[in-house]
Amino acid sequence: IRDYVHQSIRKQLDPPYSELFIGLIFGQFGVELPESFTSRFRTAGLTHLLVVSGSQISLISGILLAVLRVLKAKKVVVFSVMIVVHSMFYIITGGGASIFRAIVMFDFMLLVSFMKRNPHSVHVAILTLLGMMVMNPLIIEDLGAQLSFLATFSLIAVAPIIRDRLPGRFPETVREMISVSLAPFIMTTPLIWYSFHLISPYSVLANAALMFLVEWLVVLGFFTTLVSVILPILATPYFTLCYFSMLIIDSVALLVQFLPFSTVYIPSPPVWVIGIYYLIFLRWCYPDLISFSPYINSLLRFRILMMFFMGCFLWWRFSPIPLQVWYLDVGQGDCILIRTPGRRHILIDAGVKQYDYLTGKVRKDMGKRVVVPVLRYLGISHLDVVVVSHMDMDHVGGLPTVLKHVSVGLVLDDGLFKKHSEYSQTIQDLSLNRETVRREDRIELEKDVSMFFLHPPVNLERLSKNDRSLSFIFNYKGVRFLFTGDLESSQEQVLVDRYSDFLDVDVLKVGHHGSKTSSTIPFLKSSSPSIAIIQCGKRNRYGHPNSRILERFEQLSTTVFRNDLQGAILLETNGEWIRVSPKITN
């Protein structure tokens, strides 16, 4: 049935608006929206429009219920019809916690109304949550369910309070529109910030501007779909109306995308920040129900607590931090992210990007899957320096995606960037500042933080791709990190011959994922690292790291950490101590 409905819509509307129509009316299950669409809807805070939720259920069920009452159908018939329609709708949309919550709440309210009871909506929401937890206790950890219940609570309990406290000179319609748009934003923003590390400042305005249009479109789109399934020729003019409505929605999302600060990425706050936020807001909503000692009440009344909260938040956001080096788990590839105490950010490589050779579609993009989410998690929207060690796909493959999502101050590579077409095209399209690195170039990033390049030499053409790898020492207050990309044994020997004792470091990113072609004994003795990090994929087909290489580290009493065993690895140092903590365990 779902496939048949989707096909009938795609016959009437061309992509991508056919996919947008399906997403708006029936959710994203089985829909392939272009990244450009989802990106601007996300920026405008309109992503919820693509997820079937309570609004669709309420609108469609309300109209259907009105029709049944006009027909003077019996209560048993009304309830049975609603159950059947809701079940079909649930299946067609692919289900989900938010739509299940909406269906259960609507049917429960309908049932108790037939019993001539008038329970409070908040009580019904709580009973619905308890019922869903009986069916699946882990629903409480489902982010979709959390956002759904928060949005529902905001509409039935918070929006009326906001509406009543708005100036009385505002027309009733305006007060209603402001409260219905503002309440969900206030209640869900902390959870969205905590989970997705972003805030969309214009989402309130975008939702307020489109609220009535979206409601009209949902109703029109649903019944237009029914007509198209039964008699397609009659549905054509209605699909035209839907098309122009979607153009307006898309135009608003596109406009918001180009506004300054349309999306602000901030690191996830501590839980206490979220707790204080809700405490202050609920205290404002329900001053009679939420009371504390007279002293705390006075703090709340005179906004001293708000100032204290803002002070704690600013201290958490801008307090000094140690040097952080993240060795990200990007499978069989390299990716290192460095955050300096002065909050400068350096990215070294970005993992692999693989294509399906039959379809040409991207099968795996570690830039999209891992690197960009990590940058969002850490609140990083700008990279000061991006270092491309060499042009192998497992190092540079994910980089074009990353470059399209964040601003970049400087890109460093070996000068052979045209050997990777997608990377070079991205550099050109984005007009990025790119420079070629040569041996003994030095970059001072900030006080006590520097990069000194040991490799490559000027003449690269005679070297293999791996031996062209940029190799450099990253120094912070005497704690030294060595990065060598996929440098192999012959060029490792060149480094030993040329720099000798200068190679002595504290931390080594092991060359070529622990392959037997790298990490020679003279090189390891010269660098003598106390910590070694091997970036390789779990159960990779190359057998990395090689057992002989691991034996060499054991003989040198070097502590080894591996992405394939310990996931992402965070190394922190203040110049005196070094702390290593695996962040994700496979």
Side-chain angles (χ1 to χ4, degrees):
I1 293 174
R2 184 192 304 122
D3 291 342
Y4 184 74
V5 169
H6 288 188
Q7 288 172 12
S8 66
I9 294 171
R10 289 177 178 131
K11 288 178 182 177
Q12 296 280 351
L13 293 170
D14 294 328
Y17 287 98
S18 59
E19 308 305 300
L20 179 60
F21 181 91
I22 296 170
L24 287 168
I25 311 302
F26 299 104
Q28 285 186 283
F29 192 91
V31 174
E32 294 185 7
L33 273 170
E35 175 62 25
S36 57
F37 263 75
T38 55
S39 175
R40 58 176 170 262
F41 271 67
R42 188 184 309 116
T43 300
L46 298 172
T47 312
H48 64 92
L49 298 181
L50 305 179
V51 180
V52 180
S53 60
S55 58
Q56 284 95 326
I57 294 296
S58 298
L59 286 168
I60 294 167
S61 301
I63 292 175
L64 183 59
L65 185 60
V67 171
L68 291 172
R69 283 176 174 170
V70 168
L71 296 175
K72 297 182 179 180
K74 294 182 179 181
K75 294 179 180 179
V76 175
V77 174
V78 171
F79 192 72
S80 301
V81 169
M82 298 305 293
I83 291 292
V84 171
V85 171
H86 285 165
S87 300
M88 292 297 297
F89 197 76
Y90 182 83
I91 295 170
I92 291 173
T93 57
S98 59
I99 185 172
F100 187 74
R101 188 270 312 157
I103 287 174
V104 172
M105 280 193 66
F106 191 93
D107 290 340
F108 187 81
M109 289 289 286
L110 184 62
L111 179 62
V112 295
S113 68
F114 288 160
M115 299 168 64
K116 297 183 179 181
R117 302 286 183 180
N118 189 27
H120 196 284
S121 300
V122 174
H123 298 164
V124 175
I126 293 172
L127 285 173
T128 301
L129 175 61
L130 292 174
M132 292 175 68
M133 288 179 64
V134 169
M135 297 174 64
N136 177 14
L138 295 180
I139 196 72
I140 196 68
E141 295 185 0
D142 186 288
L143 182 61
Q146 294 169 6
L147 289 171
S148 178
F149 276 98
L150 270 178
T152 301
F153 175 78
S154 69
L155 291 174
I156 62 181
V158 177
I161 296 174
I162 295 176
R163 181 195 60 210
D164 295 340
R165 297 191 183 184
L166 289 172
R169 64 179 178 273
F170 288 0
E172 182 67 24
T173 305
V174 174
R175 293 164 63 197
E176 186 74 27
M177 182 176 67
I178 293 175
S179 62
V180 168
S181 301
L182 194 58
F185 175 81
I186 292 173
M187 292 300 294
T188 60
T189 292
L191 186 56
I192 292 173
W193 175 21
Y194 185 82
S195 304
F196 300 110
H197 336 298
L198 62 86
I199 295 175
S200 302
Y202 303 112
S203 64
V204 175
L205 298 177
N207 280 280
L210 297 175
M211 181 172 59
F212 296 114
L213 178 61
V214 171
E215 290 182 354
W216 180 83
L217 178 58
V218 168
V219 175
L220 177 64
F222 182 76
F223 288 101
T224 299
T225 304
L226 290 180
V227 173
S228 71
V229 171
I230 300 169
L231 197 59
I233 193 170
L234 295 179
T236 301
Y238 299 107
F239 270 115
T240 304
L241 285 175
C242 294
Y243 171 73
F244 283 112
S245 300
M246 288 187 291
L247 278 180
I248 296 173
I249 294 171
D250 190 34
S251 298
V252 171
L254 193 62
L255 174 64
V256 171
Q257 189 177 32
F258 288 102
L259 291 175
F261 305 107
S262 57
T263 301
V264 180
Y265 289 96
I266 310 177
S268 296
V271 175
W272 62 263
V273 172
I274 303 296
I276 293 177
Y277 174 95
Y278 282 121
L279 178 66
I280 293 173
F281 180 69
L282 292 176
R283 178 64 172 76
W284 177 82
C285 288
Y286 303 101
D288 297 330
L289 295 179
I290 302 177
S291 60
F292 305 97
S293 69
Y295 178 70
I296 295 179
N297 282 332
S298 66
L299 289 180
L300 289 167
R301 187 178 303 114
F302 294 104
R303 303 177 185 177
I304 299 175
L305 185 60
M306 177 66 78
M307 295 171 61
F308 174 74
F309 166 72
M310 290 303 299
C312 291
F313 172 74
L314 291 173
W315 176 84
W316 162 74
R317 181 67 181 88
F318 299 106
S319 60
I321 58 172
L323 179 81
Q324 297 177 334
V325 184
W326 296 77
Y327 297 83
L328 301 182
D329 183 5
V330 290
Q332 187 64 16
D334 272 17
C335 183
I336 300 100
L337 175 66
I338 302 174
R339 169 182 269 177
T340 70
R343 286 182 167 81
R344 293 182 181 273
H345 302 101
I346 302 96
L347 181 69
I348 307 167
D349 296 330
V352 70
K353 187 175 187 177
Q354 294 178 349
Y355 291 89
D356 189 313
Y357 292 104
L358 295 178
T359 63
K361 293 182 178 181
V362 177
R363 189 164 62 89
K364 180 193 298 183
D365 183 352
M366 285 301 180
K368 180 179 180 181
R369 182 185 295 183
V370 176
V371 186
V372 171
V374 167
L375 295 177
R376 298 298 187 235
Y377 171 76
L378 296 173
I380 298 172
S381 57
H382 176 77
L383 293 170
D384 296 274
V385 180
V386 172
V387 179
V388 184
S389 65
H390 62 298
M391 296 302 155
D392 262 353
M393 185 61 82
D394 59 333
H395 293 252
V396 73
L399 195 56
T401 301
V402 176
L403 297 178
K404 293 172 185 176
H405 281 81
V406 296
S407 62
V408 176
L410 176 63
V411 181
L412 302 176
D413 59 37
D414 58 11
L416 302 178
F417 62 97
K418 292 185 178 179
K419 290 184 177 294
H420 192 286
S421 57
E422 187 178 2
Y423 165 66
S424 60
Q425 187 64 46
T426 304
I427 294 289
Q428 181 180 337
D429 292 344
L430 299 177
S431 301
L432 296 178
N433 180 20
R434 189 206 64 80
E435 292 185 10
T436 300
V437 176
R438 287 295 177 260
R439 186 168 58 201
E440 298 190 4
D441 284 348
R442 184 181 182 88
I443 298 176
E444 295 286 343
L445 293 165
E446 59 186 61
K447 183 182 178 181
D448 299 324
V449 181
S450 64
M451 301 167 67
F452 183 76
F453 287 86
L454 312 172
H455 195 77
V458 175
N459 185 10
L460 296 180
E461 296 297 335
R462 62 183 178 82
L463 297 178
S464 67
K465 191 184 294 185
N466 286 342
D467 279 338
R468 295 170 188 158
S469 296
L470 302 187
S471 303
F472 63 95
I473 288 178
F474 187 92
N475 182 62
Y476 172 60
K477 288 185 176 181
V479 177
R480 292 156 60 87
F481 301 77
L482 178 55
F483 301 96
T484 62
D486 282 354
L487 204 67
E488 297 187 331
S489 57
S490 62
Q491 293 305 304
E492 284 184 346
Q493 188 60 46
V494 170
L495 295 184
V496 172
D497 295 340
R498 186 176 182 87
Y499 296 103
S500 187
D501 294 338
F502 184 73
L503 285 179
D504 184 34
V505 295
D506 299 282
V507 184
L508 170 69
K509 199 289 296 182
V510 177
H512 203 185
H513 320 291
S515 166
K516 64 181 179 181
T517 60
S518 302
S519 303
T520 59
I521 293 176
F523 176 76
L524 294 181
K525 286 184 176 180
S526 184
S527 58
S528 63
S530 57
I531 298 172
I533 312 291
I534 301 178
Q535 293 210 278
C536 60
K538 194 173 184 179
R539 294 188 295 272
N540 65 84
R541 62 192 178 99
Y542 306 100
H544 295 160
N546 185 269
S547 58
R548 193 175 302 171
I549 302 300
L550 295 176
E551 290 174 4
R552 291 175 186 173
F553 284 117
E554 187 176 353
Q555 292 170 3
L556 294 170
S557 300
T558 301
T559 304
V560 176
F561 294 90
R562 297 164 48 175
N563 286 143
D564 61 329
L565 297 182
Q566 292 147 319
I569 297 164
L570 170 61
L571 189 150
E572 297 176 286
T573 177
N574 68 348
E576 298 178 359
W577 47 258
I578 299 175
R579 179 172 60 226
V580 183
S581 43
K583 305 302 291 183
I584 304 170
T585 303
N586 287 338

